[in-house]
């Protein structure tokens, strides 16, 4: 069975394999939106901090509930809850395990989850583990959501969305979503993974942009994208944090992250807030690319750091040509990651990309085969 399924993937052109990013290629594929993954100044601060705190070099070798709760965890959680204006924060090893932990423990088999049809796989997996009734609604369609909420009486209902959708680059219509959920008494769980460091007044996410910190039940932020670190956090009430520590299996039964990785999270957020120039440069690059791609067909009409060119016919051949030319690191997003006939080129704009690089990228994308 394993061999047959792999062979089917190969024949349909959907076979996945691991590749190391070629440093000679111009990066338009990674989620390192601000360049923090390789930022020399940030790395220097990290090294300096490790020299002054040698204990942070040690491994946890245990779950946090047993012997792995290093003081840096609680220090960082306290700091992050203040920055993001939340009552409490709990760190997880990744955004995937954070979503698994939230949905598999907070949501029960007696509840209902209404989820946007484009939400991340980790949210869907968490919902499955909850055994709750799961109902999808059309992507960003608030009329469809309201209609489905209106039929759910005497039920505890959660609405699961992303603030910035990773495969389409569009934003959740958060003000309307909050209004509808408050009207029907539903609780919002929002994944801010790709909005962390890129969106909001100060780059702290879509919830921050509208000052909805007290109107959203749970926020999930990840640090492995714009922050250039690793791990994730769940923001909510103090009671929620206590609950997750007691019932979220992906938190309880896993070895804690290393203290140095938690330190990197804290340093990255501090560096981000102290150096707003990186976010400003990212936003300038996004606006510039949006300006130069006007009139180019098949681009999704989005205004984020994630730009998408839908593939049609021979467009796949353009990807092969660009890879042969070895100019850019970009990725075709194919089925089953996205639905069939909705394959696309996903372009990640970064603060470190130059206007010349953006010009050349668009030129290559629009060259005839």
């Amino acid at each position: 069975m394993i061999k047959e399924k792999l062979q089917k993937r190969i024949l349909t052109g959907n076979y996945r394999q691991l590749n190391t990013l070629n440093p000679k290629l111009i990066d338009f594929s990674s989620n390192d939106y601000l360049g923090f993954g390789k930022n020399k100044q940030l790395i220097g601060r990290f090294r300096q901090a490790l020299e002054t705190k040698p204990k942070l070099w040690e491994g946890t070798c245990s779950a946090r509930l047993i012997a792995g709760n290093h003081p840096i965890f609680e220090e960082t959680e306290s700091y992050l809850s203040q920055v993001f204006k939340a009552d409490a924060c709990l760190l997880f090893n990744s955004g995937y395990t954070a979503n698994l932990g939230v949905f598999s423990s907070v949501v029960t088999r007696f509840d209902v989850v209404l989820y946007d049809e484009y939400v991340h796989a980790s949210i869907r997996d968490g919902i499955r583990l909850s055994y709750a009734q799961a109902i999808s609604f059309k992507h960003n369609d608030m009329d469809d959501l309201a209609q489905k909420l209106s039929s759910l009486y005497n039920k505890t209902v959660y609405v699961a969305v992303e603030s910035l959708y990773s495969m389409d680059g569009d934003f959740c219509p958060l003000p309307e979503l909050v209004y509808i959920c408050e009207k029907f008494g539903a609780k919002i769980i929002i994944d801010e993974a790709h909005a962390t460091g890129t969106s909001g007044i100060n780059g702290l996410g879509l919830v921050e942009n509208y000052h909805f910190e007290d109107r959203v039940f749970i926020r999930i932020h990840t640090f492995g994208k714009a922050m250039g670190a690793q791990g994730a956090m769940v923001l909510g009430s103090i009671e929620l944090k206590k609950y997750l520590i007691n019932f979220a299996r992906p938190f309880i039964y896993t070895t804690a992250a290393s203290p140095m990785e938690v330190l990197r999270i804290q340093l990255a957020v501090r560096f981000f807030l102290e150096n707003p120039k990186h976010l400003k440069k990212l936003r300038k690059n996004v606006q510039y690319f949006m300006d130069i791609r006007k009139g180019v067909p098949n681009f999704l009409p989005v205004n984020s750091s994630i730009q998408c060119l839908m593939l049609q016919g021979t467009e796949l051949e353009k990807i092969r040509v660009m890879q042969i030319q070895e100019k850019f690191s970009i990725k075709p997003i194919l089925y089953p990651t996205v639905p069939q006939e909705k394959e696309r080129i996903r372009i990640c704009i970064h603060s470190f990309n130059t206007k010349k690089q953006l010009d050349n990228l668009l030129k290559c994308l629009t060259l005839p085969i």
Side-chain angles (χ1 to χ4, degrees), residues 65 88-92 97-107 189 217-220 233-253:
L65 281 168
C89 162
L90 185 65
L91 290 170
F92 280 77
T97 56
N99 276 325
L100 245 60
V102 166
F103 285 95
S104 66
S105 64
V106 175
V107 182
I189 303 176
F217 180 49
I218 295 176
R219 288 176 277 161
I220 295 118
M233 68 177 172
V234 176
L235 298 174
S237 67
I238 295 173
E239 185 179 51
L240 171 68
K241 179 174 181 176
K242 292 177 180 178
Y243 183 89
L244 291 172
I245 290 171
N246 280 274
F247 294 99
R249 295 170 69 90
F251 174 85
I252 298 168
Y253 297 110

Short mmCIF file of all heavy atoms in Angstrom, two decimals, residues 65 88-92 97-107 189 217-220 233-253:
data_model
loop_
_atom_site.label_atom_id
_atom_site.label_comp_id
_atom_site.label_asym_id
_atom_site.label_seq_id
_atom_site.Cartn_x
_atom_site.Cartn_y
_atom_site.Cartn_z
N LEU A 65 5.96 19.90 33.10
CA LEU A 65 5.26 19.52 34.32
C LEU A 65 6.11 18.59 35.20
O LEU A 65 5.75 18.34 36.36
CB LEU A 65 3.93 18.84 33.99
CG LEU A 65 2.79 19.80 33.61
CD1 LEU A 65 1.62 19.03 33.02
CD2 LEU A 65 2.34 20.60 34.83
N ALA A 88 -2.91 36.00 29.90
CA ALA A 88 -1.95 34.92 30.11
C ALA A 88 -1.43 34.39 28.78
O ALA A 88 -2.08 34.53 27.73
CB ALA A 88 -2.57 33.79 30.92
N CYS A 89 -0.27 33.75 28.84
CA CYS A 89 0.37 33.18 27.66
C CYS A 89 0.95 31.82 28.03
O CYS A 89 1.49 31.65 29.12
CB CYS A 89 1.49 34.13 27.20
SG CYS A 89 2.72 33.39 26.10
N LEU A 90 0.84 30.86 27.12
CA LEU A 90 1.45 29.55 27.33
C LEU A 90 2.20 29.17 26.06
O LEU A 90 1.64 29.19 24.96
CB LEU A 90 0.40 28.49 27.64
CG LEU A 90 0.95 27.10 28.00
CD1 LEU A 90 1.74 27.14 29.31
CD2 LEU A 90 -0.19 26.07 28.10
N LEU A 91 3.49 28.83 26.23
CA LEU A 91 4.33 28.48 25.09
C LEU A 91 4.16 27.01 24.70
O LEU A 91 4.02 26.13 25.56
CB LEU A 91 5.80 28.74 25.41
CG LEU A 91 6.21 30.21 25.52
CD1 LEU A 91 7.62 30.32 26.09
CD2 LEU A 91 6.12 30.90 24.17
N PHE A 92 4.17 26.77 23.40
CA PHE A 92 4.15 25.42 22.83
C PHE A 92 5.37 25.27 21.92
O PHE A 92 5.99 26.26 21.53
CB PHE A 92 2.87 25.18 22.03
CG PHE A 92 1.67 24.85 22.87
CD1 PHE A 92 1.00 25.85 23.57
CD2 PHE A 92 1.20 23.55 22.96
CE1 PHE A 92 -0.11 25.56 24.34
CE2 PHE A 92 0.08 23.25 23.73
CZ PHE A 92 -0.57 24.25 24.43
N THR A 97 1.54 22.06 17.27
CA THR A 97 1.16 21.47 18.55
C THR A 97 0.28 22.42 19.36
O THR A 97 -0.54 21.97 20.15
CB THR A 97 2.41 21.09 19.38
OG1 THR A 97 3.24 22.25 19.55
CG2 THR A 97 3.20 19.99 18.70
N ALA A 98 0.43 23.72 19.14
CA ALA A 98 -0.44 24.68 19.83
C ALA A 98 -1.88 24.51 19.37
O ALA A 98 -2.81 24.46 20.18
CB ALA A 98 0.02 26.11 19.57
N ASN A 99 -2.08 24.40 18.06
CA ASN A 99 -3.44 24.19 17.54
C ASN A 99 -3.99 22.84 17.98
O ASN A 99 -5.17 22.72 18.34
CB ASN A 99 -3.44 24.30 16.02
CG ASN A 99 -3.55 25.72 15.54
OD1 ASN A 99 -4.23 26.54 16.17
ND2 ASN A 99 -2.92 26.05 14.43
N LEU A 100 -3.16 21.81 17.95
CA LEU A 100 -3.60 20.49 18.41
C LEU A 100 -4.01 20.57 19.88
O LEU A 100 -5.05 20.02 20.28
CB LEU A 100 -2.49 19.47 18.24
CG LEU A 100 -2.73 18.34 17.24
CD1 LEU A 100 -2.97 18.90 15.86
CD2 LEU A 100 -1.54 17.39 17.20
N GLY A 101 -3.20 21.24 20.68
CA GLY A 101 -3.48 21.32 22.11
C GLY A 101 -4.76 22.07 22.41
O GLY A 101 -5.57 21.64 23.25
N VAL A 102 -4.98 23.19 21.73
CA VAL A 102 -6.18 24.00 21.97
C VAL A 102 -7.44 23.25 21.55
O VAL A 102 -8.39 23.09 22.34
CB VAL A 102 -6.09 25.34 21.22
CG1 VAL A 102 -7.44 26.04 21.17
CG2 VAL A 102 -5.06 26.24 21.90
N PHE A 103 -7.48 22.80 20.31
CA PHE A 103 -8.72 22.24 19.78
C PHE A 103 -9.04 20.86 20.37
O PHE A 103 -10.20 20.51 20.54
CB PHE A 103 -8.66 22.17 18.25
CG PHE A 103 -8.84 23.51 17.60
CD1 PHE A 103 -7.74 24.27 17.25
CD2 PHE A 103 -10.10 24.03 17.38
CE1 PHE A 103 -7.88 25.52 16.66
CE2 PHE A 103 -10.27 25.28 16.80
CZ PHE A 103 -9.16 26.03 16.44
N SER A 104 -8.01 20.08 20.69
CA SER A 104 -8.28 18.74 21.22
C SER A 104 -8.67 18.74 22.69
O SER A 104 -9.23 17.76 23.19
CB SER A 104 -7.05 17.84 21.02
OG SER A 104 -5.96 18.30 21.81
N SER A 105 -8.40 19.84 23.40
CA SER A 105 -8.71 19.87 24.83
C SER A 105 -9.83 20.85 25.19
O SER A 105 -10.73 20.51 25.96
CB SER A 105 -7.46 20.23 25.64
OG SER A 105 -7.01 21.54 25.34
N VAL A 106 -9.79 22.04 24.62
CA VAL A 106 -10.82 23.04 24.95
C VAL A 106 -12.16 22.65 24.35
O VAL A 106 -13.22 22.75 24.99
CB VAL A 106 -10.39 24.44 24.45
CG1 VAL A 106 -11.50 25.46 24.67
CG2 VAL A 106 -9.11 24.88 25.16
N VAL A 107 -12.13 22.19 23.11
CA VAL A 107 -13.35 21.77 22.43
C VAL A 107 -13.66 20.33 22.82
O VAL A 107 -12.76 19.48 22.88
CB VAL A 107 -13.17 21.88 20.90
CG1 VAL A 107 -14.45 21.47 20.17
CG2 VAL A 107 -12.77 23.30 20.51
N ILE A 189 -11.60 31.42 17.87
CA ILE A 189 -10.23 30.95 18.01
C ILE A 189 -9.51 31.33 16.72
O ILE A 189 -9.88 30.87 15.64
CB ILE A 189 -10.15 29.44 18.25
CG1 ILE A 189 -10.96 29.05 19.49
CG2 ILE A 189 -8.69 28.99 18.39
CD1 ILE A 189 -11.01 27.55 19.76
N PHE A 217 -11.61 34.94 21.93
CA PHE A 217 -11.45 33.94 23.01
C PHE A 217 -10.02 33.44 23.11
O PHE A 217 -9.41 33.44 24.18
CB PHE A 217 -12.42 32.79 22.77
CG PHE A 217 -12.36 31.70 23.80
CD1 PHE A 217 -12.40 31.99 25.15
CD2 PHE A 217 -12.26 30.37 23.40
CE1 PHE A 217 -12.34 30.98 26.11
CE2 PHE A 217 -12.21 29.36 24.35
CZ PHE A 217 -12.24 29.66 25.70
N ILE A 218 -9.46 33.00 21.98
CA ILE A 218 -8.10 32.44 21.99
C ILE A 218 -7.35 32.94 20.75
O ILE A 218 -7.89 32.96 19.64
CB ILE A 218 -8.12 30.89 21.98
CG1 ILE A 218 -8.73 30.35 23.27
CG2 ILE A 218 -6.70 30.33 21.81
CD1 ILE A 218 -8.89 28.84 23.29
N ARG A 219 -6.08 33.34 20.97
CA ARG A 219 -5.18 33.70 19.88
C ARG A 219 -3.99 32.74 19.89
O ARG A 219 -3.45 32.45 20.96
CB ARG A 219 -4.66 35.13 20.05
CG ARG A 219 -5.66 36.22 19.78
CD ARG A 219 -5.06 37.58 20.07
NE ARG A 219 -5.11 37.95 21.47
CZ ARG A 219 -4.35 38.89 22.03
NH1 ARG A 219 -3.43 39.52 21.31
NH2 ARG A 219 -4.47 39.18 23.31
N ILE A 220 -3.58 32.30 18.71
CA ILE A 220 -2.39 31.47 18.57
C ILE A 220 -1.39 32.20 17.68
O ILE A 220 -1.73 32.59 16.57
CB ILE A 220 -2.71 30.08 17.98
CG1 ILE A 220 -3.61 29.28 18.94
CG2 ILE A 220 -1.43 29.28 17.72
CD1 ILE A 220 -4.94 28.93 18.40
N MET A 233 2.77 30.33 20.83
CA MET A 233 2.12 30.63 22.10
C MET A 233 0.62 30.68 21.93
O MET A 233 0.10 30.97 20.85
CB MET A 233 2.61 31.96 22.68
CG MET A 233 2.19 33.17 21.88
SD MET A 233 2.73 34.71 22.67
CE MET A 233 2.31 35.91 21.39
N VAL A 234 -0.08 30.39 23.02
CA VAL A 234 -1.53 30.53 23.09
C VAL A 234 -1.82 31.66 24.07
O VAL A 234 -1.33 31.66 25.20
CB VAL A 234 -2.20 29.23 23.56
CG1 VAL A 234 -3.70 29.43 23.72
CG2 VAL A 234 -1.92 28.09 22.58
N LEU A 235 -2.62 32.62 23.61
CA LEU A 235 -2.99 33.76 24.44
C LEU A 235 -4.46 33.67 24.82
O LEU A 235 -5.31 33.34 24.00
CB LEU A 235 -2.76 35.07 23.68
CG LEU A 235 -1.33 35.40 23.25
CD1 LEU A 235 -1.31 36.65 22.38
CD2 LEU A 235 -0.43 35.58 24.45
N GLY A 236 -4.73 33.97 26.08
CA GLY A 236 -6.12 33.94 26.56
C GLY A 236 -6.18 34.31 28.02
O GLY A 236 -5.33 35.02 28.54
N SER A 237 -7.17 33.78 28.69
CA SER A 237 -7.36 34.07 30.10
C SER A 237 -6.41 33.26 30.97
O SER A 237 -5.82 32.27 30.52
CB SER A 237 -8.81 33.76 30.51
OG SER A 237 -9.05 32.36 30.42
N ILE A 238 -6.28 33.66 32.23
CA ILE A 238 -5.49 32.89 33.19
C ILE A 238 -6.09 31.51 33.38
O ILE A 238 -5.37 30.50 33.47
CB ILE A 238 -5.41 33.65 34.53
CG1 ILE A 238 -4.65 34.96 34.36
CG2 ILE A 238 -4.75 32.78 35.61
CD1 ILE A 238 -4.67 35.87 35.58
N GLU A 239 -7.41 31.45 33.40
CA GLU A 239 -8.11 30.17 33.55
C GLU A 239 -7.80 29.25 32.36
O GLU A 239 -7.61 28.04 32.54
CB GLU A 239 -9.61 30.41 33.65
CG GLU A 239 -10.43 29.17 33.92
CD GLU A 239 -11.91 29.48 34.05
OE1 GLU A 239 -12.45 30.16 33.14
OE2 GLU A 239 -12.54 29.07 35.04
N LEU A 240 -7.75 29.82 31.15
CA LEU A 240 -7.42 29.02 29.97
C LEU A 240 -6.02 28.43 30.09
O LEU A 240 -5.81 27.25 29.79
CB LEU A 240 -7.51 29.88 28.71
CG LEU A 240 -7.00 29.22 27.42
CD1 LEU A 240 -7.90 28.07 27.01
CD2 LEU A 240 -6.88 30.24 26.29
N LYS A 241 -5.07 29.23 30.52
CA LYS A 241 -3.70 28.73 30.68
C LYS A 241 -3.66 27.57 31.66
O LYS A 241 -3.04 26.53 31.38
CB LYS A 241 -2.77 29.86 31.15
CG LYS A 241 -1.33 29.39 31.36
CD LYS A 241 -0.40 30.55 31.70
CE LYS A 241 1.04 30.08 31.87
NZ LYS A 241 1.98 31.18 32.11
N LYS A 242 -4.31 27.70 32.78
CA LYS A 242 -4.36 26.61 33.77
C LYS A 242 -5.00 25.37 33.17
O LYS A 242 -4.56 24.23 33.42
CB LYS A 242 -5.13 27.06 35.01
CG LYS A 242 -4.42 28.14 35.83
CD LYS A 242 -5.28 28.58 37.01
CE LYS A 242 -4.58 29.66 37.84
NZ LYS A 242 -5.44 30.13 38.96
N TYR A 243 -6.05 25.58 32.38
CA TYR A 243 -6.75 24.46 31.76
C TYR A 243 -5.84 23.72 30.78
O TYR A 243 -5.77 22.48 30.80
CB TYR A 243 -8.00 24.98 31.04
CG TYR A 243 -8.84 23.89 30.42
CD1 TYR A 243 -9.84 23.26 31.14
CD2 TYR A 243 -8.61 23.46 29.10
CE1 TYR A 243 -10.60 22.24 30.58
CE2 TYR A 243 -9.37 22.45 28.53
CZ TYR A 243 -10.36 21.85 29.28
OH TYR A 243 -11.10 20.84 28.72
N LEU A 244 -5.14 24.46 29.94
CA LEU A 244 -4.26 23.83 28.96
C LEU A 244 -3.13 23.06 29.64
O LEU A 244 -2.74 21.97 29.18
CB LEU A 244 -3.67 24.89 28.02
CG LEU A 244 -4.67 25.55 27.06
CD1 LEU A 244 -4.00 26.72 26.33
CD2 LEU A 244 -5.22 24.55 26.06
N ILE A 245 -2.60 23.60 30.71
CA ILE A 245 -1.54 22.90 31.45
C ILE A 245 -2.05 21.57 32.00
O ILE A 245 -1.31 20.59 32.10
CB ILE A 245 -1.02 23.79 32.61
CG1 ILE A 245 -0.22 24.97 32.04
CG2 ILE A 245 -0.15 22.99 33.58
CD1 ILE A 245 0.15 26.02 33.06
N ASN A 246 -3.33 21.51 32.29
CA ASN A 246 -3.92 20.29 32.86
C ASN A 246 -4.49 19.32 31.83
O ASN A 246 -4.56 18.12 32.09
CB ASN A 246 -5.02 20.66 33.86
CG ASN A 246 -4.47 21.05 35.20
OD1 ASN A 246 -4.23 20.20 36.06
ND2 ASN A 246 -4.26 22.33 35.39
N PHE A 247 -4.91 19.85 30.65
CA PHE A 247 -5.65 18.98 29.73
C PHE A 247 -5.10 18.92 28.30
O PHE A 247 -5.53 18.05 27.53
CB PHE A 247 -7.12 19.42 29.67
CG PHE A 247 -7.86 19.21 30.97
CD1 PHE A 247 -8.04 20.28 31.84
CD2 PHE A 247 -8.34 17.97 31.34
CE1 PHE A 247 -8.72 20.11 33.05
CE2 PHE A 247 -9.01 17.78 32.54
CZ PHE A 247 -9.20 18.85 33.40
N ALA A 248 -4.19 19.80 27.92
CA ALA A 248 -3.69 19.79 26.54
C ALA A 248 -2.56 18.76 26.40
O ALA A 248 -1.43 18.99 26.82
CB ALA A 248 -3.19 21.18 26.14
N ARG A 249 -2.87 17.63 25.81
CA ARG A 249 -1.90 16.53 25.73
C ARG A 249 -0.61 16.90 24.97
O ARG A 249 0.48 16.48 25.38
CB ARG A 249 -2.58 15.31 25.08
CG ARG A 249 -3.71 14.74 25.93
CD ARG A 249 -4.53 13.70 25.17
NE ARG A 249 -3.80 12.49 24.93
CZ ARG A 249 -3.76 11.45 25.74
NH1 ARG A 249 -4.40 11.50 26.91
NH2 ARG A 249 -3.09 10.37 25.44
N PRO A 250 -0.69 17.69 23.88
CA PRO A 250 0.56 18.08 23.21
C PRO A 250 1.47 18.94 24.07
O PRO A 250 2.65 19.08 23.77
CB PRO A 250 0.06 18.85 21.97
CG PRO A 250 -1.30 18.31 21.72
CD PRO A 250 -1.88 18.08 23.08
N PHE A 251 0.92 19.55 25.13
CA PHE A 251 1.75 20.30 26.08
C PHE A 251 2.25 19.38 27.19
O PHE A 251 3.42 19.40 27.55
CB PHE A 251 0.95 21.44 26.69
CG PHE A 251 1.69 22.18 27.79
CD1 PHE A 251 2.58 23.20 27.47
CD2 PHE A 251 1.53 21.83 29.13
CE1 PHE A 251 3.28 23.87 28.47
CE2 PHE A 251 2.23 22.49 30.13
CZ PHE A 251 3.11 23.51 29.80
N ILE A 252 1.35 18.56 27.73
CA ILE A 252 1.67 17.73 28.90
C ILE A 252 2.71 16.66 28.58
O ILE A 252 3.65 16.44 29.35
CB ILE A 252 0.39 17.05 29.44
CG1 ILE A 252 -0.63 18.11 29.89
CG2 ILE A 252 0.71 16.09 30.58
CD1 ILE A 252 -2.01 17.55 30.16
N TYR A 253 2.55 16.00 27.43
CA TYR A 253 3.33 14.78 27.17
C TYR A 253 4.47 14.98 26.17
O TYR A 253 4.83 14.06 25.46
CB TYR A 253 2.39 13.68 26.67
CG TYR A 253 1.37 13.29 27.70
CD1 TYR A 253 0.02 13.61 27.53
CD2 TYR A 253 1.73 12.62 28.88
CE1 TYR A 253 -0.93 13.27 28.49
CE2 TYR A 253 0.80 12.27 29.84
CZ TYR A 253 -0.53 12.60 29.64
OH TYR A 253 -1.48 12.26 30.58
#
